Amino acid sequence: MADMKKVLLIGTGGTIASEVSADGLAPELTTEQLLSFIPAISAICSVECIQLLSLDSTNMQPKHWLMMASTIRAHYEEYDGFVLTHGTDTMAYTAAALSYLIQGSPKPIILTGAQKPIGFESTDSKINLLDAFRCATEDLPGVSIVFNNKVIPGTRAKKTRSKSFQAFSSINYPDLGVLRDGRLLRYIRPECGSELVFYSKLDTKVALLKLTPGMDRGVADYLLERSDALIIESFGVGGLPEEGGFYECVGEWMAKGRFIVLTTQVENEGSDLGVYLVGHRLKRDLRVLEAYDMTTEAVVAKMMWILGQTKDKAEVERLFYTPVAKDILWEEQT
Ligand code: ASP
């Protein structure tokens, strides 16, 4: 018992903690109640709890990401690892955001949740929670999602199934490991970098626009009037349509100091803006930022983190292409 690892469980809500109400599932269980469903935990680690939030993750806001990071910061020295229970709907955004807000952590920071509440007869909650605690006691630096037996890097996760237990995929990067019969089989050990750094500022004025055929610049203008950065999810390896005034729009707003990132709607393999005429001009003449193999969730969180630190164009560009927690395989793109 003496050398048992100490883990802090931070509850934020989600399906895992939900109960049936007349108006649908609502997150009502406390972290202590969650723990009471998994008595086997006492053999894995000693757990203390903080009930930080009780939200459906649809209601999660960047201010809540900052709360999670500051809670971990406040208790960092006291625990060997951290488990956050969280709704699945925006878990990938939170995992990415925490990867930028807490950099270089040698200790594991594990997000988990479930597609079915812990009180249901058929549920993924118990196994996910137990696996999360197992991972929180391992040498697994940084932020990861543990879900359906898989360990996914926080910057690479995407919710790719809305109902089945296999809700998350690691995009353009392998899973870090799998859990088999209660043991972590590791494929990759993430590096944690040399220095632990917590950040406490985000610029939330980052907008995302999914391009559709026939769209014109009006909607981009609307978003750029209200934002410091616009991420455009374009088609294929990336580009903008010649009709609709997009090239002028991008040039005008970049001259006014806005940041524009081009990414792709295609889930796998990322962008390569230089390939086609429709993208090449954006890259060569307008010098937009390009997401390459990053997930949209990571791009949103990374831009919020970067613009929370600086608005200097060269510095934003430098930080954007500097890999953080394996979010971008930049060296291999150039
Ligand atoms: N709506 C829920 C949430 O994201 C879904 C879940 O947790 O699976 O909080």
Side-chain angles (χ1 to χ4, degrees), residues 13-16 18 27 55-58 86-91 113-116 147 159 162:
T15 292
I16 191 168
S18 285
L55 293 176
D56 187 297
S57 75
T58 292
H86 193 292
T88 60
D89 293 347
T90 64
M91 191 188 292
Q115 293 280 55
K116 294 282 179 215
F147 209 97
K159 187 169 182 182
S162 61

Side-chain angles (χ1 to χ4, degrees), residues 104-325:
S105 168
K107 297 182 182 179
I109 298 167
I110 310 291
L111 285 130
T112 197
Q115 293 280 55
K116 294 282 179 215
I118 203 160
F120 280 22
E121 206 164 277
S122 166
T123 179
D124 50 339
S125 293
K126 293 174 196 167
I127 185 71
N128 286 349
L129 201 48
L130 276 171
D131 284 346
F133 280 111
R134 285 187 184 107
C135 290
T137 62
E138 293 276 347
D139 176 23
L140 190 67
V143 179
S144 324
I145 289 184
V146 171
F147 209 97
N148 196 43
N149 309 121
K150 293 195 296 189
V151 186
I152 296 172
T155 55
R156 293 291 185 172
K158 186 181 275 293
K159 187 169 182 182
T160 48
R161 287 189 176 75
S162 61
K163 294 177 182 168
S164 48
F165 288 172
Q166 199 188 319
F168 290 93
S169 304
S170 185
I171 303 296
N172 300 329
Y173 199 83
D175 295 337
L176 299 177
V178 290
L179 287 124
R180 289 277 174 267
D181 303 322
R183 296 196 41 206
L184 173 65
L185 307 179
R186 207 187 272 284
Y187 299 145
I188 302 170
R189 182 188 177 279
E191 301 144 23
C192 68
S194 52
E195 203 194 345
L196 170 67
V197 185
F198 286 89
Y199 293 86
S200 54
K201 268 182 83 181
L202 293 169
D203 174 357
T204 59
K205 287 164 77 182
V206 172
L208 173 63
L209 174 62
K210 182 168 187 161
L211 204 63
T212 54
M215 185 183 281
D216 68 24
R217 66 175 280 178
V219 62
D221 286 321
Y222 180 89
L223 293 170
L224 282 158
E225 266 162 35
R226 290 155 180 82
S227 311
D228 294 325
L230 178 65
I231 299 155
I232 304 178
E233 266 194 353
S234 64
F235 312 121
V237 289
L240 288 172
E242 275 150 17
E243 271 186 51
F246 280 105
Y247 293 93
E248 297 75 17
C249 169
V250 168
E252 286 164 28
W253 285 106
M254 284 182 69
K256 287 186 204 163
R258 303 298 205 274
F259 295 94
I260 297 186
V261 186
L262 258 284
T263 186
T264 174
Q265 303 175 13
V266 182
E267 202 166 88
N268 291 292
E269 300 177 358
S271 69
D272 195 354
L273 210 47
V275 174
Y276 294 98
L277 184 65
V278 289
H280 194 75
R281 290 165 56 185
L282 294 165
K283 186 94 183 152
R284 189 197 49 200
D285 304 336
L286 297 168
R287 292 182 55 83
V288 296
L289 295 167
E290 175 174 4
Y292 291 107
D293 62 324
M294 294 177 75
T295 65
T296 296
E297 291 85 340
V299 175
V300 169
K302 194 170 196 177
M303 287 308 286
M304 288 189 187
W305 165 67
I306 293 171
L307 296 178
Q309 322 305 313
T310 181
K311 300 282 194 287
D312 177 79
K313 195 168 185 293
E315 187 60 1
V316 169
E317 193 164 316
R318 186 188 72 77
L319 286 170
F320 187 77
Y321 292 121
T322 301
V324 175

